[in-house]
Amino acid sequence: MDERERALDAAHRRATEFLDTLDERPVWPRASLDEMLDAFGGPFPAEGTDPAQVVEEIATRADPGLVAIPGGRFFGFVIGGTHPAALAADWLVSAWDQNSGSSALAPATVAMEQVAGRWMRELFGLPASASVGFVTGGQLANFTCLASARQAVLARAGWDLAELGLREAPALRFVVGADRHGSIDRAARFLGIGRAELIVIDSDDQGRMKADALERELRGGAGPLIVCLQAGEVHTGAFDDFRALIPIARAHEAWVHVDGAFGLWAAASPALRSLTAGMERADSWATDGHKTLNVPYDCGMAIVRDPADSIAAFRTGGDYLMYTGLDPWDVTPELSRRARGVPAWAALRSLGRSGIVQLMNRLHENAVAMASGLRSIPGVHVVNDVDYTQVMFRLESDDATRALGRAILDEGTAAVTGAEWRGRATQRCSMSSWATTATDIDRTVAAIRELVPHA
């Protein structure tokens, strides 16, 4: 075999070995960053190394510092596993090395992205004419949608942002919920909107924006307006009441954006669809494929009702570029990029509508089962209503709750991550992986039971 074949063969073998050991290996890393820096560090080599040997070195040295995210007992943050079809398709994406910003340059991969976008619009019940831009993740999906929103609401106010910039632009009203995700604030900062400029609306005990509070805030105001709503609060999993909130925002001529990083997918399931009822009336929607769809990282989706708003915000110039219609670089900030939508096409094709429904339902059922198991442990309190995929729990004191979180990670059966909710320490489980089984839930509950004092 030549260098490339030997390197790819080594990568396949070592990747398979990693995946085959997921059920036995500790879920959390066994090495620190400093230890990993030592493992990969040293002086810059004067001579090169055979590519296959480099792959072997990477796999061997990295192993103690790897998180078992693709396994069935990683419940930290909101991180899905990787569906087999999506993983294999991602290998092809790297091998093909297509520049997928342009349909003229990469018609095969752009076609797959466009079809994946159409399938998702159908699953979510969103307008068939909306643009779907594939970006790196939920953060860039929110930014991309909100950049289109800023452009559009300023244009409605008679201001050409592309020509005139922001310096003397009309004041923008940027409305968010008290329990929004931090990526909304970060996207606002990227757009020149500071924390002091955010208009924050009160939320209920589960993190849902209050409709009466939104109505009071918008009454009497004037000027370009963006209202950010949420499908899936990151701690509780709660969904804003779109049927109540969007008409209020619409009455004040707002652009309505929905951050649905993991929650947008509830719309695909008849059993969960009521959580998203009314969200189709928004102007933009953001989601992240590596969470609920279970594709590899680097696959967020920015969906905008009117593609003209995306084009106004992002279309570039350049006499050397080739235009063939609505291209990926027209609806996202990037020009050159990898074909990140191909794994999404592969996952959707492999699962089909029935498989997507089963996956969404199973994630919710796993959350219900985890909550039930945790409630059976004396001293453990489940904090949230388990309406979707999130489970939060705590012990009586904050110190004990934090100590339990550290003990769970040290013990290694499962990974949960800490948070704070309403001023109290909590531990948070997110049911996001296709790989999680009932056995994984039972093993996790049993491990936590052993770690809870006096349980």
Side-chain angles (χ1 to χ4, degrees):
M1 294 186 288
D2 65 14
E3 287 187 342
R4 182 169 60 194
E5 289 178 294
R6 289 188 296 103
L8 289 171
D9 182 67
H12 176 263
R13 177 169 44 79
R14 296 305 296 263
T16 301
E17 289 172 3
F18 170 74
L19 295 172
D20 285 346
T21 63
L22 286 172
D23 201 46
E24 295 80 31
R25 67 188 297 129
V27 177
W28 202 246
R30 293 157 288 156
S32 67
L33 174 61
D34 285 342
E35 289 170 320
M36 288 290 95
L37 288 170
D38 288 341
F40 288 103
F44 182 57
E47 303 294 334
T49 303
D50 177 73
Q53 182 181 335
V54 171
V55 171
E56 294 285 355
E57 289 179 4
I58 289 171
T60 299
R61 297 180 189 183
D63 193 75
L66 297 177
V67 185
I69 289 173
R73 296 186 307 281
F74 183 86
F75 307 120
F77 306 103
V78 186
I79 297 178
T82 306
H83 187 273
L87 172 60
D90 203 50
W91 288 2
L92 286 177
V93 167
S94 293
W96 289 344
D97 194 27
Q98 303 291 289
N99 182 347
S100 297
S102 164
S103 61
L105 187 58
T109 57
V110 172
M112 280 186 275
E113 291 191 354
Q114 290 185 358
V115 172
R118 173 167 60 82
W119 288 345
M120 285 190 294
R121 291 192 302 265
E122 292 176 8
L123 286 170
F124 301 152
L126 300 182
S129 59
S131 65
V132 180
F134 285 85
V135 293
T136 57
Q139 174 68 79
L140 261 292
N142 278 322
F143 167 79
T144 299
C145 290
L146 291 170
S148 298
R150 181 186 62 177
Q151 178 87 25
V153 297
L154 288 176
R156 292 175 197 166
W159 188 264
D160 185 341
L161 178 64
E163 181 68 24
L164 301 173
L166 279 173
R167 183 167 299 178
E168 297 181 7
L172 185 67
R173 293 182 294 160
F174 195 85
V175 177
V176 298
D179 290 295
R180 67 205 176 273
H181 191 267
S183 64
I184 293 294
D185 292 36
R186 199 160 177 246
R189 187 165 80 243
F190 297 165
L191 294 167
I193 301 164
R195 283 190 298 270
E197 297 179 280
L198 301 179
I199 301 170
V200 181
I201 307 299
D202 288 341
S203 56
D204 66 15
D205 64 340
Q206 295 295 304
R208 306 178 189 92
M209 184 185 288
K210 293 182 177 180
D212 57 348
L214 178 65
E215 178 64 66
R216 284 195 301 272
E217 179 60 48
L218 297 188
R219 191 183 302 131
L225 174 64
I226 298 172
V227 174
C228 297
L229 303 180
Q230 187 164 230
E233 203 282 330
V234 74
H235 298 84
T236 67
F239 288 64
D240 282 337
D241 185 350
F242 304 115
R243 286 178 294 189
L245 294 165
I246 292 179
I248 294 170
R250 281 264 181 261
H252 295 272
E253 300 182 344
W255 176 294
V256 180
H257 171 65
V258 176
D259 173 14
F262 65 102
L264 223 61
W265 294 88
S269 164
L272 299 169
R273 191 172 296 148
S274 61
L275 296 171
T276 64
M279 77 166 185
E280 69 279 357
R281 296 188 61 192
D283 297 286
S284 60
W285 307 263
T287 191
D288 194 342
H290 94 80
K291 300 180 186 297
T292 319
L293 184 59
N294 281 231
V295 301
Y297 271 102
D298 193 24
C299 193
M301 300 87 167
I303 308 172
V304 176
R305 174 180 291 276
D306 187 347
D309 293 323
S310 298
I311 291 169
F314 294 112
R315 175 165 280 178
T316 187
D319 56 7
Y320 65 95
L321 298 177
M322 300 170 66
Y323 288 93
T324 58
L326 187 65
D327 273 346
W329 58 27
D330 290 326
V331 296
T332 70
E334 295 170 298
L335 287 177
S336 302
R337 65 165 175 83
R338 76 194 307 269
R340 59 171 61 97
V342 170
W345 184 93
L348 292 167
R349 176 68 180 88
S350 180
L351 289 165
R353 185 182 295 273
S354 64
I356 291 288
V357 171
Q358 291 167 15
L359 175 58
M360 300 312 128
N361 291 345
R362 188 166 72 250
L363 297 180
H364 174 58
E365 290 161 4
N366 285 343
V368 171
M370 178 67 82
S372 177
L374 290 170
R375 290 191 185 100
S376 75
I377 303 173
V380 173
H381 306 279
V382 174
V383 176
N384 63 308
D385 298 335
V386 186
D387 293 331
Y388 190 45
T389 58
Q390 305 300 97
V391 182
M392 271 198 307
F393 66 98
R394 60 177 173 82
L395 302 181
E396 191 61 33
S397 77
D398 287 354
D399 287 345
T401 300
R402 295 187 182 102
L404 176 61
R406 291 191 294 270
I408 292 170
L409 297 181
D410 289 343
E411 191 271 342
T413 296
V416 304
T417 46
E420 288 198 5
W421 182 253
R422 301 301 187 251
R424 296 292 306 275
T426 66
Q427 296 298 318
R428 191 182 64 177
C429 296
S430 178
M431 297 298 144
S432 302
S433 178
W434 71 279
T436 300
T437 65
T439 299
D440 289 317
I441 301 295
D442 292 343
R443 285 179 62 180
T444 300
V445 171
I448 294 175
R449 188 184 300 275
E450 292 297 314
L451 296 171
V452 173
H454 312 302

